[in-house]
């Protein structure tokens, strides 16, 4: 019986789990080096206005080129950066990169707007780091409304007072707020009333099967109607097929991004898209 119990107990921490844990610790150490050694790069995924079909902005997405392992997905390293607190410095660095690009790109496209993903940790950092972002924009001669912060529902769960005060201060400067992955977290619709939010982002899991799934269509339709009634705009992510695009356009969705248009690409490549668009006749 003792043997069986021992065997059972060992099931809670198997050799493969131990290896995975060691790999995570290793990667967390590498992450600290990575910022100093400039292994990160910000990629940009075009965001299109669905009525006219032109590029209205981009989402900044972080990329890490690990010296041995090659490209590592942010889905893997962002949680590690959150655990170690490194996300605060990393997030500041992303905002700096975005400001430099915006300064340049706004000369080509004065209305261009870039979204930056922010982790809850960045809101709760001791020195209120996010509150320095308006000054950072100002130093680059940028208006507040050139930047959008993408937050997730998990930020709105705790410390509601602190979060809503901070969001209000950022919005007073003109910075916009977008609720990412909408509908996939621990949603309570009441926060849509409490927090000032400018955009709802329909998660790609609701977009992926739009052509085949009645309930996904019903959910997307309801999200669009609700957002508009509350005075918010809607962004659909993960648009991969022409049928998704057509359906979302007909349903009145305002903005979209996805592999149908472009994946996240290096800054130089995004700039090529902007320039190419300027030489084409405008529709809509
Ligand atoms: P997210 O903010 O929801 O970003 C959307 C993800 O979907 C991105 O993955 C993007 O490359 C991917 N995507 C875009 N279009 C399509 C499509 O048509 N089909 C499919 N299947 N996927 C598409 P990525 O770049 O791997 O980023 C994953 C997550 O990592 C992001 O999800 C975001 O939560 C986080 N992340 C990325 N960069 C940052 C950052 O600078 N700071 C923070 N805090 N989080 C970040
Ligand atoms: Mg996002
Ligand atoms: Mg998202
Ligand atoms: Mg997502």
């Amino acid at each position: 019986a003792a043997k069986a119990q021992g065997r059972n107990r060992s099931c809670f921490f198997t050799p493969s789990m131990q290896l995975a844990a060691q790999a995570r610790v290793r990667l967390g150490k590498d992450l600290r080096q990575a910022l100093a050694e400039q292994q990160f790069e910000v990629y940009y995924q075009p965001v299109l206005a669905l009525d006219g079909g032109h590029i209205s902005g981009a989402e900044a997405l972080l990329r890490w080129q690990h010296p041995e392992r090659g490209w590592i997905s942010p889905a893997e390293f962002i949680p590690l950066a959150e655990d170690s607190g490194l996300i605060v410095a990393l997030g500041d660095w992303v905002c700096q990169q975005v400001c430099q690009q915006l300064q340049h790109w706004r000369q080509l496209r004065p209305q261009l707007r870039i979204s930056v993903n922010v982790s809850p940790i960045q809101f709760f950092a001791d020195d209120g780091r996010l509150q320095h972002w308006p000054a950072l924009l100002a130093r680059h001669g940028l208006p507040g409304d050139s930047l959008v912060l993408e937050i997730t529902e998990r930020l709105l769960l705790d410390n509601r007072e602190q979060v809503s005060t901070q969001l209000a201060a950022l919005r007073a400067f003109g910075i916009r707020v977008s609720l990412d992955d909408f509908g996939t977290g621990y949603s309570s619709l009441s926060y849509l009333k409490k927090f000032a939010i400018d955009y709802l982002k329909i998660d790609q899991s609701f977009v992926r099967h739009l052509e085949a799934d009645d309930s996904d269509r019903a959910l997307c339709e309801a999200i669009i109607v609700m957002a508009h009634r509350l005075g918010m705009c809607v962004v659909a992510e993960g648009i991969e097929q022409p049928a998704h695009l057509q359906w979302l356009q007909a349903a009145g969705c305002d903005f979209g991004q996805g592999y149908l248009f472009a994946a996240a690409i290096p800054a130089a490549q995004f700039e090529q898209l902007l320039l190419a668009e300027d030489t084409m006749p405008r529709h809509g």
Side-chain angles (χ1 to χ4, degrees), residues 96-226:
Q96 246 154 40
Q97 297 292 308
V98 165
C99 283
Q100 279 169 25
Q101 289 301 334
L102 267 173
Q103 197 173 29
H104 173 51
W105 288 338
R106 278 221 152 192
Q107 289 166 14
L108 306 173
R109 198 64 73 80
Q111 305 300 323
L112 198 80
R113 191 167 277 157
I114 296 186
S115 312
V116 171
N117 293 284
V118 286
S119 144
I121 313 286
Q122 292 172 267
F123 275 83
F124 303 126
D126 284 340
D127 61 349
R129 272 300 235 297
L130 282 179
Q131 301 310 317
H132 299 320
W133 285 21
L136 191 61
L137 285 171
R139 270 207 296 285
H140 288 82
L142 294 165
D145 76 349
S146 56
L147 190 72
V148 181
L149 299 189
E150 292 200 3
I151 62 170
T152 54
E153 289 162 343
R154 105 190 131 110
L155 173 69
L156 307 178
L157 287 176
D158 320 300
N159 300 301
R160 285 161 178 255
E161 283 309 308
Q162 197 187 339
V163 169
S164 73
T165 310
Q166 289 200 60
L167 284 178
L170 292 162
R171 282 185 89 251
F173 184 72
I175 292 176
R176 304 197 174 189
V177 177
S178 179
L179 191 53
D180 204 356
D181 308 334
F182 180 68
T184 62
Y186 303 90
S187 329
S188 133
L189 291 179
S190 66
Y191 61 61
L192 293 181
K193 233 171 65 175
K194 274 194 210 105
F195 296 94
I197 291 163
D198 302 284
Y199 303 92
L200 282 191
K201 263 187 115 162
I202 304 180
D203 189 69
Q204 46 188 282
S205 59
F206 300 122
V207 174
R208 195 169 299 141
H209 307 295
L210 264 184
E211 76 290 351
D213 192 319
D214 271 343
S215 27
D216 282 344
R217 278 199 294 268
L219 279 170
C220 286
E221 213 168 273
I223 292 172
I224 293 166
V225 170
M226 176 185 66

Side-chain angles (χ1 to χ4, degrees), residues 42-117:
V42 180
Y43 274 37
Y44 297 87
Q45 182 176 39
V47 176
L48 280 85
L50 294 190
D51 57 354
H54 62 277
I55 296 173
S56 71
E59 176 175 6
L61 291 160
L62 199 52
R63 297 289 179 264
W64 179 18
Q65 170 96 71
H66 188 281
E68 285 138 39
R69 288 186 43 191
W71 291 108
I72 298 182
S73 162
E76 190 175 347
F77 70 77
I78 294 287
L80 293 176
E82 288 178 334
D83 288 347
S84 67
L86 188 78
I87 190 70
V88 176
L90 197 52
D92 282 353
W93 180 82
V94 169
C95 185
Q96 246 154 40
Q97 297 292 308
V98 165
C99 283
Q100 279 169 25
Q101 289 301 334
L102 267 173
Q103 197 173 29
H104 173 51
W105 288 338
R106 278 221 152 192
Q107 289 166 14
L108 306 173
R109 198 64 73 80
Q111 305 300 323
L112 198 80
R113 191 167 277 157
I114 296 186
S115 312
V116 171
N117 293 284

Side-chain angles (χ1 to χ4, degrees), residues 242-262:
H244 300 159
L245 172 63
Q246 280 151 21
W247 190 91
L248 287 160
Q249 280 174 319
C253 183
D254 306 280
F255 300 98
Q257 54 189 102
Y259 296 164
L260 179 64
F261 315 114

